[in-house]
Structure formats: structure tokens, C-alpha cells
Amino acid sequence: MKTIIAFLSGLLFFVQHLTAQSLYKIGFDEKVRSSSLIVEGKIVSQVSFWNAARTMIFTSNSVEVSKIFKGDITDSIIEVITVGGSVGNSHIEASDLLSLEKEQVGLFFCIPNSLRLRSPKSKRPVYDVYSSVQGFLQYDLQNQTASAPLSQPVEISTTLYNELVKKTGRQYKIIKPFLSANKISQRENNTLAVGITSFSPAVVNAGALLDAATNVLTINGSGFGTPSGAATVFFDDANDGTGNNSYGIAYNNPQIISWTDTEIRVRVPSRAGTGLIYVRDAAGTLGASSSELEVLYSVITASFNAGVTYIKESNLMDANGSGGYDIVYSDNAAGSGVDFNSSSAKETFQRALATWKEISGYNITEAGSTNLQLIADDDINVIMFDNANTGVGPLPAGTLAVCYSYNSMCGPDYANSFAQKTGFDIVVRNPGYSSGTTSFTTGPCPPNASDYTQQDLETVLLHELGHSLNLGHINDSYQGTTVGRLNPGKLMHYGVVNSTKRVTPDYSAKAAANYLLNPQGNTYGSCLYTSEMMPLAVISETKDECPSTFPSTAIAQNTTINFDLAHATSNRFVDPAYTQIRCDGAGASLTNNAYYAFKTSATGSLLLTVSDYTTTPAALTSCTQVYSGIPVTGIRLVLYQVSSCPTAGAYPAPVACVTITGNGTVSPIAGITANTDYLLLAEGIENTKASFNLNFGGSLLPLKITQFSGLVLSPYNEVNWETAEVENVIKMLVQKSNNGTSFETAFELNEPNTILKGNWKDFTPYSQTFYRLVIINSDGSKNYSEIINLKRQDQVVMTAYPNPALEYVTIQLNQSYKEGYNVVLYNGIGQKIKEKKITGEKTQLSTGSYLPGYYKLVLYHNNVKLTSLNLVIQ
């Protein structure tokens, strides 16, 4: 059903350095060697059930066996156990572990179940699939190929069978020849063939069932037939990447809204990824779309079996009474476990958690540690290393981490009820207990700073936290083939490669999180949580996307721009191609970037000066480059000569490319032309999270301001300046800002002498205040000083005027305060005579009735004294 990549000389069995955000590749030889039973078969029925302790739901998948390649069985039916499933109004999703569907056909690499579970119906022993998702090679009968995540499709009847016979040393045994080498039959009358003429919308959000506008897909065409028999809509399966297997929605699936001979309306399922779509009619005839459906992001859904199957989008809830969920770190090392709470992995996890909280507002509270190791929907969300006491068996070979998500909803009106996420647990691979072998680097330096074959743990944990947010997999893989020249796939794509680091959400993951964290305002009943998650305030880089308009006036000398790549993302819809951010055309990662457009006023050289360069965390600045020509930390500055944002992936060759790793002046960029638009891209090398100021200077910008500095004094800030060439100057403005980007005029000077040299006192500074000077020339042009940043130890600054006071005094704070602030007036002997609540930036107290003398104003927050000042009443 998909475009097939040719099988070349055992490609399926070649062990590449290919991993996934939560998978690492298991070779074919290992799967054959480690399995006790290898069979080909079809899933004919499924049943989900609770374990005896009612802590985990498992699903027993009955497989009708057609061929045996290794081992032996006494019946034509075996049962394969997968983790997760639905029982009544409970659903458990186990990310990155195998999830099977009825009617799937393929090859199963089986081992005895690690928990010694038995069939819920027959009570017979059951099997696990070795290496989980990689241990089931799903068949595409239309193209006669087999594939699994991290493996390319391979032809079944000759290549795959012959390789199995070679590896096992025995001829396979045929049990039931229901899988022939013939493709699914096609209708002889071509006029009756299934044909897709169009579909809309072109871009969808998979699994976003509560947003019909971006989730419901309308497929137009002919020959769709009646909804019966084999009738199915197929999507590219995002759980194994573009071009491998398809994920089918049968005609009787609740996600099918309507089906006629010419039109199908379907809710795009969570597992759908970018790719072609197919329609199969009742007789088995297939028709494919001529273009790909684009899936921007995926939302994990939950199914519930309450007599009828309901598929629901599960909402994030206020489970802890503080707007979200609590998490705890396991400190128990029993059962071959590892104390997560005291390990270096905890700090790695905290970095990943801070990223989601700051960029998207994910409301998660760290609530200490626990000795619990059990994976269960018990209102305790545990972060732990794999161990023998989880209740689910060791993490399979090939799996780096798993997020177990718990979902439920209140009855009895399940059709109109809303589902909610009741909690989650995250389990990380433990080399001393989990199956298989691989190694992590805990960071913050990328694997290329030590050993490129390792997996970056922070990347894995950011991905698993994405699953805890209910983000599903999407199709958008890595680019490039050489270590140090790779561009990671999107965060929620299952596949990436060793050595790469992605510790910032891309545009897709951020958009999905924004959707999921936007409160729906649904009613949930009274059996579970009643309120939805309240998202936290986010920190954004305002220059995260290429600007929609370029400036019409030239940039001023000493303009300083702040870049915050600690909170920037990447976006393949607008970013350059990964081969367009180095002047030599070699590939490089695009993970966190920001843009700044400017116009020049003269021909000459551009001088860029870096200040206040800091990384998150600070240790990133000391990451060591161990492979020649492969930088591991710093920021790429790439300059393009364009007058508007180019089309994504179609940027011109850069004018200049420089790398910064700290404060200092960059070598002058020569050849800058007058009255020309330029676009500067700042990109984090190996996802370096850094913030810094970039000052624009050089011979192409006229010089006016010669000195600008500031002092923090009590109770005010003072700025001082000297300028030159004040002729033709109309006035000068002193501007201030609390963020370094949005400035307001605080003081204006019109006299030449005060413009030449002077100072200004700011009696209402912020705890951190940015200042700049603006010179306005007679021709209307403006020149800007560099930006200075003054930080005060006193977080809240209070001033009072007039002082001395007569009838009233105005109390001014340095910013707006709303909760818990009050000001108290004391007389000369310390008696409280007046108290007033502060609800904004300033308030007034009446003083006309008080005796003349000396008084004291004291500012409190929640009864804690912050600051005070003396007041004279006349």
C-alpha cells in the first residue's frame, strides 16, 4: 500500500546507528537468536484484562499461525501479550511499546511471557514479542513486503523467508497456507476501480477529536462501495515512520462518520502520520491518493469498552488541586533498581521538565521522592528506573523509556462524557535489569562531546514527557547521514539517530502542547477529577519565527537585540534547509533558532558584539569538542541578503556564517551594501540553549553616542551619557524597559548642553531595568545607544511624592502588584496609624489630618517586610 524502498543486499539486517526518540535498533540476527518461537500469522481476536493486582491492563492477541520458522506449537493459535488496553471505563496507553490490531498479519519473534501470565480465557501460557515493536514485522500484502520500526521493507516470500531459513538452519513448517504470494485481487473492470480524486483539509491534526475542523477528513472519489466486508481507510502509520506500514480504520470503526460510494468522512486517528491515504472497498480493491495528507501533530486518544467502543480525546486535569499533576522520583533500589532521586538522571529529567513548563506551560509540580516502584493508576506519578517490582516485566530490548498513561471517564452516559487523564508513570531503561544493551549520556553536553554512539537521555525524556502531555507520534524523520552533520527529526517522531540531541520542542510539538493545554471547559462528572489543568505562564522568544515584515528604515548605530534561544523552537515550515545554515553547504542541526531582519544605511562592514552570553545550564559552555570539525556547543549566526522571508528550505547562500561561544566582538563582516535588507538567523549548535545580547555596529552605521552607563543607587537608578555631533539634533529620549525589547520613553531632553553630557535619576526602576538613549535628528532619522541593564537587589522599589507631603502622598512601586501587598504608615514613635492594600503600581494616602512631623512608610508582602522610606508631613 506504500511506496516500497528496494531491498538491497540484506538492508533489513544491516545494523545502522539508527535509533528512535525512545527506541534503539535491534538487529535481525539478535531477534532470531533471542526468540524461542518465530511464527507467521494473523491476529484473529483480542481481549484486554486486568492483572490479578488490578494495577495494569494487558491485551491478549490471538494469532492464527500459518508458518513456523523456529520452535514448535501444539495448536494453530498462540496468544501474544501486549501492555495496555481498555477494560470498561479504564484505558492504559504504554508509549513506544507494541500495540497490535485485529486482522494484522506478520512475523512474530516470540519469547515466554516474563510475568508468567496466562490467557484470560484458555488459561494457557502466553508469549511476549521480543524487542516489542521491532519484534513484529507487519506484512503489506498489497506489495508483499514486511517491515517494522527502524527496518526497511523487505520482500516476503523470497528474501525474508530465505533469510529466516538461513538464520535458523531449518526449513519452515506450513500450518495453514492462508498467506499466498498473490497480491490482494483487483477488480477486472477498471471502471469500477476505487479512485480518490481529492481530500480536505490538506493538513490535519491526528487524534484531535475535540477539534473537528482540523481532525475530520473528507475523502472524495468513486467506487468506494458500501461500508461492509473489507472496506477500510488506511493512513500512513506514524509509529514506524513514512513509507512502511499503514494503519487502517475499518468501515465499522466509530471514527468513521459516514461512507458512501463517492464520499467518506473520517476522524483522523491518533496513529495517522503524514503520507498517502488509501481506500479499500468491501471486496478488497485499493485506491490511493495522488498527494500526501499532512499531519501537523498527533494527540493520543483512549478507547473505552462499555458495551460499545468509544474513542475519546483524553483531557489533562487538575489532579493535585494546584492546577496540574504532582510527580515524585523513586529512591528505591530494590529489585535490581536504581535510586532515580539521587542519580544524575534526575537533573536531566528536571531540565526536560523545565523545558515543557517554560515553553508550553505544562503544569507539573515536583513533590519529592517515594519508595514506590509499582506502575499503577494510583494518583502517584512516579519517575523511575526499570526494576523487578514495576508489575509489567523488564523494558524490552530496543526500548529506551516508556510513559504509561492512565485514562478514564465517568458513566453511565459514556457517549456524551469526556475522558480525562488520571495520571502517568515514566520508566527509564536500566542496564542492570532491562532486556538488551545500550548506553545513555545524561548531558547536558551532547553525545558528540564524548561518544557519538550513545543516546541522549534528555532527548528521550523530553519525548516521553511529550507522551505524558498526550502527544502522539508523527512522521518527520532526521536528515543527513554523517555524525555532526545531522538534523534531528521532530521531537515526537519515533525515529532519530545516535549522536543527535533535541531538547527543545519543534513547532509541531509546541502547537500540539498549546492545543492540549488550552482548557476545554468540559464537564466531567463527579467520579474523578472535576477541573481541567490550568497551564502555567510561558516564556517565549518573540523572534522565534521569521518576521512577516522587514523594517523600512535603517538600523541605528549600537542597536542591541536580545536573543533567547533557551526558549526558541524550530519550524520546518519556515526555516532554511539543514544544508543552508553553513557557508560550506554542509548539513547542521536546526533545533532552536531566532530571526532578526534589518536594513543598512551605508556601505561598509558590520561589527557584531556579543554580551551577557549565558547558557542553560551553565555547564554547556564547557562542553568539549572531541571529533575534528564537529562543534558541540555555541550559536551559529547566519546572515542572508533577502528583502522578505524566503520559502522554507529555499534560502539563498549565506552572506556570512560565524559561530559564537561567549562574549566578545565578532570579526567584522565586510561587503555590506547600503540601503539593503538582511536577515540574521541565530541557531543553537547541537541544541545549545543560550541567551545573549547582540550589538550592531561598524562603519555602515553613523556614530552619535560616545558614552552611556548606569549606576544602581538607593533608592533610584542613575544613567549617565556623553554624545558628539549634536548639531541637527532635535532631541534625545531616555527609554526604559523591563525585558530589553519593549521600550517606553521615560525622560525627554531638548537642550543641546544636556544632550551633550548629563544624567537622569529613575526613582521607579524595575528589579531589572534596561535603558537606552534615542537621538532624533532633524531629518527624522534616529540613532540608538547600546542597551545597558541595571539589576537591583531590592526586588520591589517604593517611592513617595510629594515628600514633604501636605494633603496626600502618592506611593509608587516599580511595577504592578496585585496579591498580598500592603503599605503601612507609622508615626515617629513606631505606632501604626494607617494601612492600605496595594492593587496596582501606585496608591494614595490622605495625610491632611495628621500632625506635622517625621513618619515611616513600610511595604509588606504577606506580612513580610520588603522595603521602607521616611516621609515628612507638613
Side-chain angles (χ1 to χ4, degrees), residues 358-554:
E358 293 173 4
I359 289 182
S360 295
Y362 193 17
N363 196 333
I364 298 292
T365 301
E366 294 176 90
S369 61
T370 179
N371 65 355
L372 292 177
Q373 295 177 303
L374 184 66
I375 298 171
D377 187 8
D378 52 8
D379 299 322
I380 304 174
N381 307 308
V382 185
I383 315 302
M384 71 182 97
F385 281 109
D386 194 16
N387 63 85
N389 300 317
T390 62
V392 295
L395 289 189
T399 303
L400 296 171
V402 174
C403 176
Y404 298 88
S405 296
Y406 312 112
N407 308 275
S408 189
M409 64 177 179
C410 297
D413 186 11
Y414 293 106
N416 298 307
S417 296
F418 293 93
Q420 57 179 270
K421 186 160 197 166
T422 54
F424 60 90
D425 294 312
I426 294 178
V427 179
V428 180
R429 162 165 291 276
N430 173 5
Y433 177 74
S434 304
S435 300
T437 57
T438 192
S439 57
F440 287 123
T441 177
T442 57
C445 296
N448 287 342
S450 53
D451 184 347
Y452 75 91
T453 66
Q454 293 182 329
Q455 330 297 332
D456 182 66
L457 180 59
E458 188 174 347
T459 300
V460 173
L461 293 174
L462 193 70
H463 177 92
E464 291 306 320
L465 278 167
H467 285 314
S468 78
L469 250 167
N470 284 343
L471 274 64
H473 288 152
I474 58 172
N475 284 347
D476 195 346
S477 188
Y478 68 95
Q479 298 171 301
T481 58
T482 307
V483 173
R485 303 287 184 268
L486 297 172
N487 187 28
K490 290 181 179 177
L491 175 64
M492 297 314 297
H493 184 272
Y494 88 94
V496 71
V497 290
N498 297 38
S499 83
T500 62
K501 178 180 178 183
R502 175 177 278 288
V503 293
T504 299
D506 57 274
Y507 172 80
S508 168
K510 184 178 180 180
N514 290 344
Y515 167 74
L516 289 163
L517 288 165
N518 182 33
Q520 299 276 354
N522 301 324
T523 302
Y524 296 91
S526 58
C527 70
L528 298 166
Y529 305 120
T530 58
S531 300
E532 297 173 354
M533 175 178 282
M534 295 303 297
L536 304 171
V538 300
I539 304 174
S540 299
E541 163 57 82
T542 58
K543 301 178 295 301
D544 204 5
E545 304 291 353
C546 191
S548 57
T549 59
F550 278 41
S552 57
T553 57

Side-chain angles (χ1 to χ4, degrees), residues 556-799:
Q557 173 74 12
N558 288 327
T559 294
T560 300
I561 301 298
N562 176 259
F563 289 84
D564 180 11
L565 296 193
H567 300 100
T569 62
S570 64
N571 186 351
R572 288 195 188 177
F573 295 109
V574 297
D575 289 343
Y578 80 110
T579 54
Q580 295 171 340
I581 60 173
R582 287 173 52 118
C583 286
D584 60 5
S589 63
L590 279 157
T591 52
N592 56 317
N593 47 53
Y595 297 83
Y596 181 69
F598 63 95
K599 180 186 288 290
T600 60
S601 61
T603 298
S605 297
L606 176 64
L607 190 65
L608 298 175
T609 303
V610 182
S611 61
D612 292 337
Y613 183 93
T614 57
T615 60
T616 304
L620 279 174
T621 57
S622 59
C623 294
T624 304
Q625 182 175 326
V626 298
Y627 301 113
S628 177
I630 302 178
V632 295
T633 187
I635 305 296
R636 299 184 196 279
L637 299 178
V638 191
L639 191 64
Y640 304 95
Q641 184 178 325
V642 292
S643 57
S644 62
C645 292
T647 302
Y651 279 58
V655 172
C657 306
V658 297
T659 298
I660 61 173
T661 56
N663 294 330
T665 300
V666 177
S667 297
I669 300 174
I672 301 298
T673 57
N675 300 314
T676 303
D677 293 316
Y678 289 90
L679 179 66
L680 181 71
L681 171 73
E683 167 67 42
I685 297 172
E686 289 293 334
N687 215 158
T688 295
K689 293 183 177 182
S691 62
F692 54 93
N693 292 323
L694 204 59
N695 180 268
F696 288 71
S699 59
L700 77 162
L701 304 173
L703 181 63
K704 293 287 185 180
I705 300 168
T706 58
Q707 186 270 330
F708 183 43
S709 61
L711 297 170
V712 174
L713 302 171
S714 180
Y716 57 83
N717 289 349
E718 181 178 285
V719 292
N720 301 273
W721 61 84
E722 292 183 13
T723 65
E725 303 177 27
V726 296
E727 61 273 11
N728 299 320
V729 172
I730 297 176
K731 59 184 174 181
M732 185 172 76
L733 307 177
V734 181
Q735 294 187 332
K736 62 187 288 187
S737 168
N738 64 356
N739 57 22
T741 56
S742 300
F743 283 85
E744 61 181 4
T745 298
F747 189 64
E748 182 176 314
L749 301 98
N750 300 292
E751 296 296 327
N753 289 339
T754 57
I755 293 176
L756 273 172
K757 184 175 182 179
N759 63 74
W760 175 70
K761 295 178 177 61
D762 183 3
F763 287 96
T764 59
Y766 304 110
S767 57
Q768 178 177 221
T769 312
F770 299 85
Y771 298 94
R772 71 180 182 186
L773 301 178
V774 183
I775 291 180
I776 300 178
N777 303 302
S778 57
D779 62 358
S781 63
K782 298 178 181 179
N783 299 118
Y784 293 81
S785 71
E786 63 178 330
I787 297 173
I788 60 174
N789 179 11
L790 299 183
K791 298 180 181 180
R792 302 188 65 85
Q793 295 300 317
D794 46 350
Q795 296 297 305
V796 183
V797 179
M798 178 175 65
T799 56

Side-chain angles (χ1 to χ4, degrees), residues 255-316:
Q255 293 178 101
I256 296 290
I257 299 172
S258 61
W259 186 305
T260 70
D261 189 57
T262 59
E263 181 189 89
I264 299 171
R265 297 183 70 237
V266 56
R267 295 180 179 89
V268 180
S270 177
R271 280 178 63 171
T274 296
L276 297 177
I277 54 176
Y278 297 81
V279 173
R280 186 173 69 190
D281 68 9
T285 304
L286 277 169
S289 61
S290 59
S291 60
E292 290 188 341
L293 173 71
E294 184 177 309
V295 176
L296 175 60
Y297 60 75
S298 170
V299 174
I300 296 174
T301 55
S303 61
F304 303 95
N305 299 316
V308 177
T309 298
Y310 299 99
I311 299 175
K312 300 280 187 176
E313 181 183 326
S314 189
N315 291 275
L316 301 171

